[in-house]
Amino acid sequence: MIMEEVQTIIGLGCGAASKFIHPTTGKITHLANPKDPKSYNDHFIEYTDKKLSILEELFCQKPSI
């Protein structure tokens, strides 16, 4: 599933990369964390919030009536 790019992957920690796959359109969004530990530690909350926001947008949508 990963090689076929149909699986969302969440990267955690320095240098980790996340790949978000839209469940309907298949659109791919990438988000990478910095490799430098100080940069990562100074801003990890921002990176985590961004990932949570993307996940909510992709997978927590309310169905239209």
Side-chain angles (χ1 to χ4, degrees), residues 1-28:
M1 290 181 73
I2 293 170
M3 295 297 290
E4 294 173 6
E5 295 195 323
V6 294
Q7 177 68 50
T8 291
I9 299 169
I10 309 300
L12 304 172
C14 295
S18 297
K19 179 174 66 175
F20 303 93
I21 311 293
H22 191 283
T24 305
T25 66
K27 178 184 173 195
I28 299 172

Side-chain angles (χ1 to χ4, degrees), residues 25-36:
T25 66
K27 178 184 173 195
I28 299 172
T29 303
H30 294 275
L31 187 64
N33 294 341
K35 293 180 182 180
D36 173 54

